[in-house]
Amino acid sequence: MFRRLLAGALLLALTACAQGTHTPAGSVAVADFGSDVQHAARDRHQKRGAVRYGATAAATSANPRPDWCSYSATGNVACIQTATAVASAIGERVYANGGYSSGQTLSSPIANGGSFDGNQTVGNVGSVLRTLSAHLNDQTNILDYGAVAGTADSSTALGVAMAAAQANGSVVTIPYSTSGYMLGTAGSYTVKTPGEWDFRGNVISGPGIGTPNTGGGTLLSPYTNPWLITAYRKRIYDPAARPQLGNETTVAESVECLPNRANASNANTSRNWIACRYVGADTGSGGTSSTDISTEIENWVLNVSGNHGVGFEIDTNFNAAVTDGQWTTGLFLTGGGPAGTNVNSVALSIMHAAYDGTDLPWTTGISIRQATTMLEFQNTRAGETGYFQRGYDSAGITLWSVDKAGNLVSAGGATLASFLHAPSITINGTTFSTLATCSSSTLGQERTVTDSAVNTWGTTVIGGGTYSILAYCDGANWTVAAK
């Protein structure tokens, strides 16, 4: 009997403390423990149970559960906790709904929904902790600034995103959408703004891209050629803004390879071919006389606006003697294809005209200096036909030509000496049997014959003799022109 009275008194004291005006550790009531904790009744003879609050947990748990026993189950007075112990246990807990805490360590949490303020630092990246916001700002995504795919105007979002990218030096990324994007404000972009854009192949329309179809493109177009539209990646550099220390040259971007060398890991250790850069394209098919489909691998533009410049420079520096017996080439134009696949083609085409199509020629088409052989032509097989050189007038009529047999034909009656501006001309000798058949197509040709049987001027040349004469084709026969 005495034991019951003592237990009831202790339980009543516990309940009174929990219901009082002073609630330690963040205004927590006994009701927060759940249905197993009950208010003590006025009847001291009625048993009321204190709760056993969860399973046993180690002291190092992130949110440990008190290992309290149940008085109602055991009848053990020691199971009844004091108000101080209850309040302390409550104060160290984080509410499952609507709770908050600071300085907590979360191990492998799963967060569904909600939001982060971006001030969380991210570890295991480099040696300096940066916030989540700082890491995300390394890339500028226009969706983060209010852009919307489709027909909604994203001009304002693009402008704010570009300003952010300018501030942190990041790439302006436009995530791909099948709906594309629309820029309704023409002034949302400056064509000479330095930066980098990743368009991801999006179809972007509206006044914000200018009028590339009339040479007034802006966002998607290079400022040096506003007729073009960039589909994927665009970069604008400003190397002139970088200070120089002396006589160096500032480059916007550099690509280089370390020296080539034998590689013992190769299957063929006696061969190691490399290339620092490869750019390729395929013209595809489907073009017709009425369907123009054109492909360029690279398009280089230099706008001369007052200062001189070089459109393309290739430096081949001889820093040591070549020991493998091969040729070193500054510019190599080559190719291939199935035999017999002949197309209209030009290996190197040089032209220049004004924007309206009127005459604006190069001062010099090709300038060759400091070369042992200035210009060299070579047949690759015997009997090869064609020309080493040909010249045309504006109507496409041949003015002069040098065929692959070495025959020079000049229109207008010019002498060879005056035509070539040379003090003398040497016509290499050949045997009569190797001469082309004299006909209307070879009329006027002259050749040195080293085995003529006759040497009288005007007589028909016959081979098999010992005379060296100058033979002339009169359209029917080779005749002696000089001896």
Side-chain angles (χ1 to χ4, degrees):
M1 180 67 178
F2 176 78
R3 180 180 298 177
R4 290 187 176 182
L5 290 175
L6 178 60
L10 290 174
L11 183 59
L12 180 62
L14 173 62
T15 306
C17 289
Q19 292 178 329
T21 58
H22 174 66
T23 305
S27 300
V28 182
V30 173
D32 294 325
F33 274 90
S35 60
D36 194 35
V37 176
Q38 306 175 20
H39 297 294
R42 294 295 182 182
D43 183 3
R44 297 187 179 184
H45 298 286
Q46 183 179 1
K47 291 195 298 183
R48 292 289 183 264
V51 68
R52 177 180 176 85
Y53 199 89
T56 303
T60 56
S61 298
N63 204 7
R65 296 179 177 181
D67 188 21
W68 293 344
C69 59
S70 173
Y71 170 74
S72 62
T74 65
N76 187 355
V77 177
C79 292
I80 302 175
Q81 304 298 319
T82 66
T84 301
V86 173
S88 176
I90 295 173
E92 294 176 354
R93 315 192 72 76
V94 178
Y95 288 108
N97 296 315
Y100 65 90
S101 66
S102 62
Q104 300 293 325
T105 300
L106 305 179
S107 300
S108 302
I110 298 176
N112 296 319
S115 62
F116 292 94
D117 62 7
N119 291 322
Q120 295 77 21
T121 57
V122 179
N124 298 320
V125 180
S127 58
V128 177
L129 291 177
R130 293 197 301 153
T131 65
L132 179 61
S133 295
H135 282 283
L136 293 177
N137 279 330
D138 289 340
Q139 291 289 327
T140 301
N141 189 316
I142 64 170
L143 299 184
D144 294 333
Y145 296 87
V148 179
T151 59
D153 187 1
S154 295
S155 298
T156 301
L158 174 64
V160 178
M162 287 176 56
Q166 287 286 303
N168 59 30
S170 63
V171 178
V172 178
T173 300
I174 303 178
Y176 178 74
S177 170
T178 55
S179 301
Y181 297 84
M182 199 278 289
L183 304 176
T185 303
S188 62
Y189 175 69
T190 303
V191 296
K192 290 187 179 181
T193 302
E196 184 173 351
W197 293 261
D198 188 357
F199 298 120
R200 304 277 178 95
N202 280 293
V203 175
I204 303 176
S205 60
I209 68 168
T211 56
N213 59 315
T214 60
T218 55
L219 175 65
L220 304 177
S221 304
Y223 85 89
T224 55
N225 193 345
W227 294 85
L228 305 182
I229 294 177
T230 305
Y232 289 91
R233 187 171 291 269
K234 172 183 173 182
R235 297 184 181 100
I236 296 181
Y237 301 110
D238 187 16
R242 306 289 300 178
Q244 296 185 357
L245 301 177
N247 296 322
E248 69 270 22
T249 299
T250 305
V251 297
E253 185 175 358
S254 64
V255 178
E256 60 181 353
C257 296
L258 294 177
N260 193 11
R261 56 202 176 276
N263 191 329
S265 300
N266 287 358
N268 182 359
T269 56
S270 63
R271 182 185 188 276
N272 203 40
W273 289 20
I274 67 170
C276 277
R277 187 179 181 188
Y278 173 84
V279 179
D282 191 315
T283 67
S285 59
T288 65
S289 58
S290 59
T291 303
D292 188 359
I293 301 176
S294 178
T295 303
E296 293 181 347
I297 294 181
E298 295 206 18
N299 188 326
W300 303 83
V301 174
L302 174 67
N303 291 337
V304 179
S305 302
N307 298 324
H308 74 279
V310 177
F312 195 84
E313 178 180 344
I314 299 176
D315 293 335
T316 303
N317 301 315
F318 297 159
N319 296 325
V322 177
T323 58
D324 59 11
Q326 301 296 319
W327 286 81
T328 297
T329 306
L331 178 63
F332 185 39
L333 300 176
T334 185
T341 309
N342 297 321
V343 299
N344 295 328
S345 57
V346 178
L348 180 63
S349 179
I350 300 174
M351 57 187 295
H352 203 272
Y355 295 140
D356 61 2
T358 58
D359 195 34
L360 187 64
W362 291 100
T363 304
T364 302
I366 298 178
S367 175
I368 304 174
R369 293 177 292 175
Q370 297 174 320
T372 302
T373 301
M374 294 292 187
L375 200 60
E376 180 176 283
F377 305 94
Q378 182 178 355
N379 286 328
T380 58
R381 60 185 182 274
E384 188 173 336
T385 60
Y387 297 88
F388 286 132
Q389 290 184 342
R390 297 182 76 175
Y392 302 90
D393 64 12
S394 59
I397 299 174
T398 302
L399 297 176
W400 59 271
S401 65
V402 179
D403 66 21
K404 290 188 175 182
N407 300 308
L408 188 150
V409 178
S410 173
T415 63
L416 291 179
S418 63
F419 181 80
L420 297 176
H421 298 281
S424 63
I425 298 174
T426 299
I427 303 177
N428 292 329
T430 184
T431 59
F432 179 75
S433 61
T434 61
L435 291 180
T437 301
C438 182
S439 63
S440 59
S441 63
T442 56
L443 173 66
Q445 289 188 8
E446 294 183 350
R447 297 298 300 272
T448 298
V449 177
T450 59
D451 67 339
S452 175
V454 296
N455 65 353
T456 303
W457 184 89
T459 58
T460 299
V461 177
I462 301 173
T466 58
Y467 297 112
S468 293
I469 55 95
L470 181 64
Y472 171 80
C473 175
D474 61 7
N477 297 293
W478 290 97
T479 62
V480 178
K483 61 178 181 177

